Amino acid sequence: MKLPQLVNVLLLGGGGRESAFAWKIAQSGRLAKLFIAKGNAGTKSYGINVDINPTNFGGIKQFVLSNNINLVVVGPEEPLVKGIQDFFASDPEIRYIPIVGPSMAGAKLEGSKQFAKDFMSRHNIPTAAYRSFSKNTIGEAYAFLESLKAPYVLKADGLAAGKGVVICSSVEEAKKELAEMLEGKFGAASQKVVIEEFLQGIEVSVFVATDGKNYKILPEAKDYKRIGEHDTGLNTGGMGAVSPVPFAGKAFMEKVEERIIRPTVEGLAAEQIDYKGFIFFGLMNVEGEPYVIEYNVRLGDPETEVVLPRIETDIMELFEGIVYGKLGEKELAISPKTAATVVAVSEGYPGDYEKELPISGLDMPSESIVFHAGTALKNKDIVTSGGRVLAVTSLGDTLCDALSESYRTLENISYKGIYYRKDIGRDLSGEECDKK
Ligand code: AMP
Ligand code: GLY
């Protein structure tokens, strides 16, 4: 099976990650038409925005049928966890339209922390020691906490909009937090809680594309999660990212492939879980040894904004390989350049923030790619519409060059209260960069 020579694509999502997907898909020699549901003010440059919610499966079905869509690419996790792939596969009218994204069973790798941990345990994939508990076993959970050393890591089992992981420094705090979680602090998502060992190390995000049997390792990335410089303050969706990651060298990546990637893909196949899409391995490098912190069943945001610009291959070829089990026949070319992205956010994010603030400077000439994340059009003006507003990506021969370019571009962009971290990548780029 093959995609038609010219493909009509529907991309689901509307953040920075989907802007990067739209940008990359728009460059494909095999694109007929690109639609984005719902997209943002920036994705309009690459395709046609469609006002359908990515979890409105009925609406999506109508749209793909009336617009001759040949391929659906899913950006965020929610439609996957809710079973969009199964919805298509079980409907005779649309079952022939392939989806880039796993089945509901595969999406449990992200949708249930307990499932993910049990899966790793079944397949001997290195991860932090853990146990999971519910309200009925709270007594055992307290005893387990007492057997561990600080800090304590508590994870809501289900999807909790990125907020479901709580790290506590004392056992008293951990018990209190656990009780609150089991009482429904994160709704149904925290009816079960995974308690796990704290891993000390440095994090790296590794991505693969898989057709369920073959896989291709995409460029790795480092994400900067905290709102404040020097990794201080609240956790966010991600304030910047760089790729490649110097501490994820050849020896480390070989361990990642042998101990983590291959057993994961083989484990999915052995359990007959249909998985055609991307796997995001959130890893901790503990003194050179890789451990899985979490799986996600999609690409990362803002990591995608540095991963896709380094992929030289036509992305339609990659998609075709993924959905028809032919990834083994496809070549993946990766640029040796370094990519860096810096995310500009709304004042107050990750807490409350104002919206609909006009953005200026987007039309200034620049070498960077300005990916829109939370933007919208209001009477022809581009305005802010989310916490993360823009992700400014640059490619350079060195990390320092890429970062300098993104910061130069950001100097020309403004909206009321614009904030971005000035230290993205500085831990990796060295002092030379500060002098420039
Ligand atoms: P997650 O929502 O699973 O990405 O977790 C949020 C963050 O919590 C991760 O990015 C890590 O920084 C941290 N974290 C999660 N699990 C652990 C662990 N076992 N040890 C140390 N840090 C962790
Ligand atoms: N940047 C982390 C994520 O996408 O989950």
Side-chain angles (χ1 to χ4, degrees):
M1 294 270 278
K2 281 179 133 203
L3 290 170
Q5 188 47 37
L6 288 178
V7 188
N8 287 326
V9 179
L10 173 64
L11 169 65
L12 302 183
R17 167 184 45 220
E18 289 75 24
S19 290
F21 263 124
W23 168 85
K24 185 72 183 153
I25 294 168
Q27 292 166 36
S28 170
R30 293 183 59 188
L31 180 68
K33 272 190 184 164
L34 171 63
F35 298 93
I36 309 106
K38 299 182 171 183
N40 57 41
T43 55
K44 282 179 191 272
S45 322
Y46 313 120
I48 299 165
N49 286 353
V50 184
D51 192 15
I52 304 173
N53 201 309
T55 52
N56 173 3
F57 297 169
I60 292 169
K61 173 181 169 178
Q62 289 312 319
F63 185 83
V64 300
L65 286 174
S66 40
N67 290 276
N68 238 328
I69 297 297
N70 310 110
L71 180 73
V72 178
V73 179
V74 186
E77 63 279 11
E78 202 188 353
L80 297 167
V81 172
K82 291 193 166 151
I84 191 163
Q85 193 272 354
D86 310 67
F87 176 85
F88 270 68
S90 62
D91 185 330
E93 282 186 273
I94 49 174
R95 69 189 330 155
Y96 64 91
I97 301 169
I99 309 258
V100 178
S103 64
M104 198 170 177
K108 277 183 92 174
L109 283 183
E110 178 165 359
S112 165
K113 302 269 187 209
Q114 185 183 349
F115 175 84
K117 297 293 287 192
D118 293 348
F119 177 88
M120 288 185 257
S121 153
R122 284 197 291 281
H123 300 287
N124 294 317
I125 295 166
T127 186
Y130 75 103
R131 281 182 61 189
S132 52
F133 301 94
S134 66
K135 237 169 140 176
N136 300 333
T137 52
I138 194 162
E140 286 170 50
Y142 286 162
F144 184 61
L145 281 171
E146 274 164 14
S147 76
L148 295 174
K149 280 197 270 203
Y152 304 88
V153 184
L154 308 181
K155 300 187 171 182
D157 177 57
L159 287 187
K163 298 198 170 73
V165 176
V166 184
I167 299 182
C168 303
S169 48
S170 73
V171 78
E172 292 74 30
E173 191 191 333
K175 285 182 177 174
K176 184 163 167 281
E177 181 64 39
L178 173 73
E180 284 174 16
M181 284 170 88
L182 291 172
E183 282 304 330
K185 178 171 178 182
F186 299 108
S190 64
Q191 275 169 4
K192 277 194 270 179
V193 173
V194 170
I195 301 181
E196 68 179 37
E197 169 198 15
F198 182 84
L199 296 173
Q200 189 76 49
I202 176 157
E203 283 179 64
V204 55
S205 306
V206 169
F207 305 94
V208 308
T210 182
D211 58 15
K213 197 167 134 231
N214 308 285
Y215 60 83
K216 294 274 184 223
I217 303 177
L218 309 181
E220 77 288 350
K222 180 175 194 279
D223 175 18
Y224 292 77
K225 288 201 165 95
R226 303 293 196 95
I227 187 74
E229 286 169 18
H230 310 295
D231 296 328
T232 53
L234 292 173
N235 250 321
T236 71
M239 297 295 293
V242 304
S243 175
V245 180
F247 62 83
K250 194 163 177 283
F252 179 76
M253 287 304 288
E254 275 170 14
K255 291 180 191 170
V256 172
E257 182 168 9
E258 284 312 307
R259 299 178 195 171
I260 294 172
I261 297 174
R262 188 165 303 149
T264 298
V265 174
E266 287 177 0
L268 287 166
E271 297 190 21
Q272 293 179 344
I273 293 174
D274 187 4
Y275 204 115
K276 297 183 174 70
F278 296 101
I279 312 176
F280 167 162
F281 301 85
L283 303 180
M284 191 73 91
N285 176 335
V286 183
E287 293 170 2
E289 306 302 320
Y291 290 81
V292 179
I293 294 266
E294 62 166 351
Y295 286 116
N296 294 305
V297 298
R298 47 159 178 94
L299 292 188
D301 193 356
E303 290 98 323
T304 307
E305 292 94 302
V306 293
V307 169
L308 295 184
R310 291 190 59 220
I311 295 182
E312 291 171 340
T313 309
D314 186 324
I315 198 151
M316 211 70 82
E317 296 295 322
L318 203 60
F319 289 154
E320 184 171 73
I322 291 172
V323 298
Y324 291 126
K326 294 202 175 128
L327 214 43
E329 298 167 19
K330 304 287 183 183
E331 290 299 321
L332 178 68
I334 294 174
S335 160
K337 290 202 173 195
T338 294
T341 196
V342 179
V343 177
V345 302
S346 295
E347 186 175 15
Y349 174 81
D352 294 338
Y353 50 84
E354 219 180 312
K355 288 186 188 173
E356 300 202 344
L357 302 168
I359 308 173
S360 65
L362 290 170
D363 45 8
M364 296 286 279
S366 132
E367 298 285 310
S368 307
I369 319 162
V370 180
F371 291 122
H372 290 221
T375 68
L377 271 184
K378 193 185 170 197
N379 310 327
K380 297 207 171 145
D381 286 334
I382 297 180
V383 298
T384 64
S385 69
R388 292 191 289 174
V389 178
L390 302 166
V392 178
T393 297
S394 309
L395 284 164
D397 290 331
T398 65
L399 176 54
C400 194
D401 290 346
L403 287 165
S404 310
E405 198 62 56
S406 285
Y407 284 118
R408 247 197 310 277
T409 300
L410 274 162
E411 276 171 21
N412 290 322
I413 296 177
S414 67
Y415 50 85
K416 190 178 144 231
I418 186 171
Y419 169 74
Y420 50 89
R421 277 178 59 169
K422 311 285 184 306
D423 68 335
I424 300 302
R426 282 293 155 91
D427 54 331
L428 305 174
S429 65
E431 286 167 19
E432 276 309 296
C433 206
D434 292 326
K435 289 195 204 122
K436 281 200 178 173

